[in-house]
Amino acid sequence: MNPTDPGIHTDPLGEALHYLRMRSVFYCHSELSAPWGAHMPALQDCLMFHLVTEGRCWLTVASGAGPEEGRWLWPGDLVLVPHGQGHDLRSEPGAPTPHLFDLPRECVSEHYEILRTGGGGEGSRIICGAVQFDHPAARHLVSVLPAVIHTSSAALQAGGWLPGLLQLMAEEARHMRAGGEAVITRLADIVVIQAIRHWVQHDATAQTGWLGALKDPRLGRAMALMHRDPAHGWTVAALAEAAAMSRSAFAQRFTALVGVPALEYLTQWRMHLAQAWLSQGQGIADVAAWVGYQSEAAFCRAFKRAVGHTPGSARRGDAQTEALQRLAVAAASPARPFISGIPNASGHHAN
C-alpha cells in the first residue's frame, strides 16, 4: 500500500489519542478533615490529577510568572496538572501545606497509598495520582496541554460519559473493599484519558497549534503520513501533494499552525521515536534505519543535535536515570526509604 495514496483514510487526532496509554507512578486516596493541607512536589514528565469525591479543596498551582492562581474544587470536579508543576491542596486559603511525603501514609502496594490527616473538622475525600505516558505521540499531546485543566462536575454531567465512573470510584474509595485499589487505579486511567479528550474536543485553545493542525483535514493528513512512515524520504512537495495543496501554501500554513517547517517537524518526530526505541534497548543501527537514516553516523549527529545527548547514552538509560534522580529529590522523605519506587533523597517544601 502506498502511504501517499489519497484513498487511505486518516484520523491523525484519533491516532494521537489512541497512544494515551499511561504508566503509573503513584496513586493516593486521601481522607482529610479540616484544617488540612498538602504540598504536591514537582514531578518532571508526570501528569498529576485530583478527583474530589467528597467535600471540597482549594487548589493553587505554581506559576513561572505572576502570582499563584487559586480555585475551589467541589465534589465531582476533576483537575489535571499535565506538566508536573508543584502545587498545593488545602481545606481553605491560608491553611498550612506540609510536604506530601512528610504526612502519614499507609502503603497499600508499590503504587497505591492511603493518606489520612487533618484537624477533625469538615471532611473531604480526594483521589490523586501521578502518571507518565511512554509513546512519543502521547507525550507530544500532553506537552501542548495547558498548565491546568479543570473540568467541573457540571461540564462532565453535560458530557454524559463520566458521572457513572466517578460514582463508582467514590464508592470504592469510601468502602475500600477487596480489589478496590485495582478498580480505582484502572478507572483513574480511563478518567484522565477522557478528561484530555473532553478538553481537546471542547476547549477553544485546542483548535490552534499542533492540535489544530491535526484536526485540519489537509495538514492532518500530511502529519499522519509522517507519523505512520517516518523512514520515508518525505519532501515538502510530496507532503503538499498528499494534502492537496500547493507547495507554497502548504509550507506556509504548516509553519503557521505547527510553529516549525514541515521537514523540521519530521526530524523532531523521528528523534522522539528514536529516543523511545533506544530507551527500550533497541540497537542504534536498527533505530537509525527505522527513522530513515542510511548512515548510523549521520543519525548519531542528528540525534545529538536534536536531543542534546548521544544515542548511546539514551540506550543505556542515562537520561532516564537523571530524570529519576530529579524525581527522587522532589519526592523523598527521610522517614521512608522508598516512596512508590522513587529512591530517598532530600528536598522538602512547607508553607
Side-chain angles (χ1 to χ4, degrees):
M1 181 178 290
N2 183 348
T4 62
D5 184 347
I8 296 177
H9 173 72
T10 61
D11 178 13
L13 181 56
E15 289 179 4
L17 292 170
H18 172 74
Y19 289 115
L20 285 173
R21 297 169 184 170
M22 297 185 293
R23 175 163 49 89
S24 302
V25 176
F26 75 88
Y27 296 94
C28 182
H29 167 218
S30 301
E31 300 176 359
L32 310 157
S33 59
W36 60 268
H39 171 72
M40 301 295 297
L43 297 178
Q44 186 174 355
D45 300 324
C46 286
L47 178 149
M48 292 186 273
F49 70 88
H50 306 286
L51 171 63
V52 180
T53 60
E54 293 182 22
R56 63 175 186 170
C57 76
W58 179 256
L59 167 74
T60 53
V61 178
S63 172
E68 293 183 333
E69 178 183 353
R71 67 188 75 201
W72 282 108
L73 305 179
W74 303 94
D77 282 11
L78 174 67
V79 66
L80 308 184
V81 184
H83 311 305
Q85 305 100 305
H87 55 281
D88 294 318
L89 299 169
R90 41 167 66 94
S91 53
E92 61 271 325
T97 55
H99 196 285
L100 172 68
F101 298 116
D102 288 336
L103 295 171
R105 299 176 318 285
E106 174 188 347
C107 182
V108 178
S109 70
E110 182 183 2
H111 295 288
Y112 190 84
E113 299 174 340
I114 298 176
L115 166 67
R116 296 182 177 95
T117 190
E122 178 185 3
S124 297
R125 290 176 183 261
I126 306 174
I127 297 172
C128 308
V131 298
Q132 292 179 324
F133 297 90
D134 289 329
H135 195 279
R139 292 201 299 268
H140 200 142
L141 175 56
V142 171
S143 74
V144 301
L145 298 178
V148 178
I149 297 178
H150 177 196
T151 310
S152 68
S153 59
L156 298 176
Q157 290 283 347
W161 49 265
L162 190 59
L165 292 180
L166 298 184
Q167 184 176 359
L168 180 55
M169 289 181 71
E171 285 297 310
E172 291 293 338
R174 185 178 298 112
H175 300 295
M176 286 306 294
R177 296 180 287 262
E181 173 208 347
V183 172
I184 289 175
T185 55
R186 283 162 176 76
L187 288 177
D189 291 351
I190 297 172
V191 165
V192 169
I193 292 170
Q194 289 284 51
I196 293 174
R197 291 178 60 191
H198 185 270
W199 179 84
V200 168
Q201 292 166 0
H202 295 93
D203 196 282
T205 58
Q207 315 311 312
T208 60
W210 183 74
L211 287 171
L214 284 177
K215 292 180 178 181
D216 186 287
R218 295 184 174 183
L219 294 186
R221 176 176 182 76
M223 294 174 74
L225 293 174
M226 288 187 278
H227 292 171
R228 291 177 177 184
D229 191 4
H232 186 77
W234 296 111
T235 63
V236 174
L239 293 169
E241 181 180 0
M245 301 174 69
S246 71
R247 187 182 185 281
S248 59
F250 170 80
Q252 182 177 6
R253 182 160 177 78
F254 192 100
T255 302
L257 270 183
V258 181
V260 295
L263 296 187
E264 183 176 339
Y265 175 80
L266 174 61
T267 298
Q268 293 176 357
W269 179 250
R270 287 170 168 170
M271 296 308 143
H272 285 316
L273 292 173
Q275 194 165 20
W277 285 326
L278 289 166
S279 68
Q280 295 168 9
Q282 302 294 340
I284 295 175
D286 290 334
V287 172
W290 293 341
V291 294
Y293 288 82
Q294 296 181 348
S295 162
E296 182 177 333
F299 166 71
C300 290
R301 289 193 298 271
F303 186 91
K304 185 172 184 179
R305 184 166 56 248
V307 179
H309 54 261
T310 66
S313 65
R315 190 169 184 270
R316 291 192 304 269
D318 294 355
Q320 184 178 12
T321 299
E322 292 173 5
L324 288 174
Q325 289 172 346
R326 288 191 292 269
L327 286 178
V329 171
S333 167
R336 182 176 178 187
F338 292 89
I339 299 295
S340 302
I342 301 173
N344 182 39
S346 61
H348 296 272
H349 169 99
N351 272 359

